Amino acid sequence: MQTPKELGFYFPAEFNPQRALWLSWPHKEESWPGKIEEIYNSYCEFILQVAAHQKVCINVLDNEMKAFAILQISSCNYVQKVSNLDFLLSQISFYIHPTNDAWCRDHGPAFLLNHNSNEKAIVDWGYNAWGNKYPPYDLDDVIPTRIGKELGLKVFHPEIVMEGGSVEFNGKGTLLTSKACLLNENRNPHLNQSQIEKYLEDYYGVNHILWVNDGIIGDDTDGHIDDITRFVNEDTVVTVVEENKKDENYSILQENLHLLNKMRLENGKQLNIIELPMPKPVIYDDQILPASYANFYISNEKVIVPTFRDSKNDVRALDILQDCFKSRKVVGIDSVDIIWGLGSFHCLSQQEPEIVFKS
């Protein structure tokens, strides 16, 4: 059987045109113990901000959850700032696709486009809840295939574990990831680094793999790249740095910065690196949470950035990102409650690319 790459498929960069944002409605109390009701206000603003200019698709357990979601969306605080709620709601589609949890970046479909045709496909990677940390995950594991069937798309099954938050793309053949996650024995202990790289190349349609080492403190995914370093265009990344030398993240992020400075893209060009501050530590219930401004979502017209009630660094981060995305509006949304689930807007979302029609 030919691989997606052999058939001309590739994974587009997130900053390329999108058809839709995909989400799985949050419902697992254990992911936000004592706080799940408090996350909906920010989560629903995220939905409405994106629905203003593109489709939003939401996986729900059943029609009762769909009704609950519509109620939450229609009554969130952000609704007071909009005059076209009916239009925004018309942009949202619900799918009865039961899930165990809400982290659609990791259990959702990896959508591919084709270099040679007007075809879209899906990769259904194996999913084991970040090394079997949070069973059960049987419903999450089959979400990509269910969506593929719903949309009438071809689905590829590599039969190894891979999470969307562990990989970052420039859309021109380069993929960025971390050793702490992809080489962790709790994912694919039977594969070495070169074998994993072959899967990445074959199923994401890339040619060039770049590796940083570790992730930030508090990240239960073992170091997802989407909390650390993100492509903002084909040759530029933003990467988080910790300015407090006494902070545990300082040396981790300095090492990654050193590695990034030595990297070259597939075309031989050096990475353009823009430093992004870390917020002051967010601690809840004596636990350091993986708060990072890098966990933003790029939509067609906006960049949705988590903020953490840090008056100094929130503004700095938003300004830096606005300078990176001159054609998009950078929007900060409070993520102090959401980050208690150990992830934010990028972790919760997955983009579906728009087909750029070829004659």
Side-chain angles (χ1 to χ4, degrees):
M1 182 177 176
Q2 287 182 290
T3 66
K5 185 177 183 180
E6 290 171 333
L7 293 169
F9 286 102
Y10 71 102
F11 190 94
E14 192 170 323
F15 48 77
N16 285 356
Q18 298 176 19
R19 187 194 80 86
L21 157 68
W22 279 85
L23 301 165
S24 295
W25 186 263
H27 60 87
K28 185 178 179 180
E29 169 70 26
E30 294 91 338
S31 290
W32 289 274
K35 267 199 177 193
I36 192 165
E37 295 298 326
E38 296 173 44
I39 74 168
Y40 291 127
N41 195 57
S42 293
Y43 187 81
C44 292
E45 179 178 349
F46 176 32
I47 292 169
L48 292 172
Q49 288 277 6
V50 176
H53 56 270
Q54 68 189 62
K55 299 293 184 182
V56 178
C57 303
I58 306 177
N59 301 310
V60 292
L61 300 186
D62 49 31
N63 283 317
E64 183 179 357
M65 182 174 287
K66 174 183 174 180
F68 176 78
I70 293 171
L71 177 62
Q72 292 293 322
I73 295 167
S74 302
S75 58
C76 75
N77 290 345
Y78 181 68
V79 166
Q80 300 170 15
K81 300 180 180 180
V82 303
S83 57
N84 56 343
L85 181 59
D86 288 343
F87 168 75
L88 296 178
L89 292 174
S90 75
Q91 290 275 85
I92 303 169
S93 299
F94 292 90
Y95 296 85
I96 307 300
H97 294 157
T99 63
N100 305 104
D101 212 336
W103 307 106
C104 197
R105 176 64 49 179
D106 294 337
H107 68 234
F111 287 98
L112 307 178
L113 296 183
N114 198 292
H115 287 293
N116 308 312
S117 67
N118 301 319
E119 192 175 1
K120 189 183 295 183
I122 282 173
V123 181
D124 185 345
W125 297 100
Y127 176 75
N128 71 353
W130 314 285
N132 201 32
K133 291 186 179 77
Y134 305 108
Y137 45 81
D138 55 313
L139 299 175
D140 289 346
D141 190 33
V142 298
I143 284 295
T145 292
R146 295 197 67 167
I147 292 174
K149 183 177 180 180
E150 182 79 36
L151 301 182
L153 301 179
K154 181 182 298 183
V155 179
F156 297 96
H157 295 87
E159 299 184 356
I160 72 162
V161 172
M162 188 70 59
E163 297 130 24
S166 70
V167 285
E168 180 70 13
F169 304 83
N170 77 339
K172 295 293 183 180
T174 295
L175 180 153
L176 180 64
T177 188
S178 69
K179 292 181 178 179
C181 179
L182 260 62
L183 303 187
N184 196 305
E185 291 187 355
N186 62 13
R187 304 306 207 277
N188 301 293
H190 60 295
L191 299 177
N192 60 32
Q193 182 172 332
S194 63
Q195 291 170 321
I196 289 173
E197 287 184 347
K198 186 69 165 64
Y199 274 98
L200 294 173
E201 291 167 0
D202 285 346
Y203 285 87
Y204 282 130
V206 296
N207 306 306
H208 190 56
I209 315 294
L210 300 175
W211 297 84
V212 297
N213 284 340
D214 210 345
I216 59 174
I217 301 299
D219 177 10
D220 62 340
T221 68
D222 305 305
H224 272 187
I225 197 70
D226 66 355
D227 272 334
I228 315 167
T229 307
R230 303 286 307 282
F231 278 105
V232 298
N233 59 47
E234 63 186 62
D235 55 16
T236 304
V237 295
V238 291
T239 193
V240 289
V241 293
E242 175 54 60
E243 295 167 346
N244 179 4
K245 294 184 178 181
K246 296 180 180 179
D247 191 289
E248 286 184 85
N249 280 317
Y250 178 82
S251 59
I252 293 170
L253 298 176
Q254 284 298 311
E255 182 179 14
N256 285 341
L257 179 61
H258 176 70
L259 292 171
L260 290 167
N261 274 300
K262 296 194 297 183
M263 290 177 184
R264 297 295 182 271
L265 296 166
E266 183 185 1
N267 61 9
K269 186 174 181 179
Q270 187 172 2
L271 275 174
N272 179 30
I273 301 168
I274 297 172
E275 296 181 16
L276 196 62
M278 284 285 283
K280 65 184 180 184
V282 179
I283 301 172
Y284 184 76
D285 201 19
D286 296 324
Q287 183 176 343
I288 296 175
L289 305 181
S292 170
Y293 299 117
N295 206 257
F296 54 81
Y297 177 78
I298 307 168
S299 69
N300 284 338
E301 296 184 9
K302 296 175 183 175
V303 180
I304 309 299
V305 184
T307 57
F308 302 100
R309 302 175 198 170
D310 180 341
S311 57
K312 175 186 174 184
N313 290 313
D314 285 357
V315 173
R316 287 177 64 202
L318 294 174
D319 286 347
I320 290 168
L321 290 170
Q322 187 62 78
D323 195 49
C324 294
F325 293 99
K326 297 185 187 301
S327 65
R328 291 174 165 91
K329 181 181 180 181
V330 170
V331 177
I333 300 179
D334 188 288
S335 191
V336 168
D337 292 323
I338 286 177
I339 200 63
W340 176 226
L342 308 183
S344 192
F345 301 119
H346 197 257
C347 298
L348 289 163
S349 60
Q350 181 61 267
Q351 72 274 2
E352 179 186 346
E354 186 72 79
I355 295 173
V356 180
F357 283 91
K358 299 173 176 65
S359 57

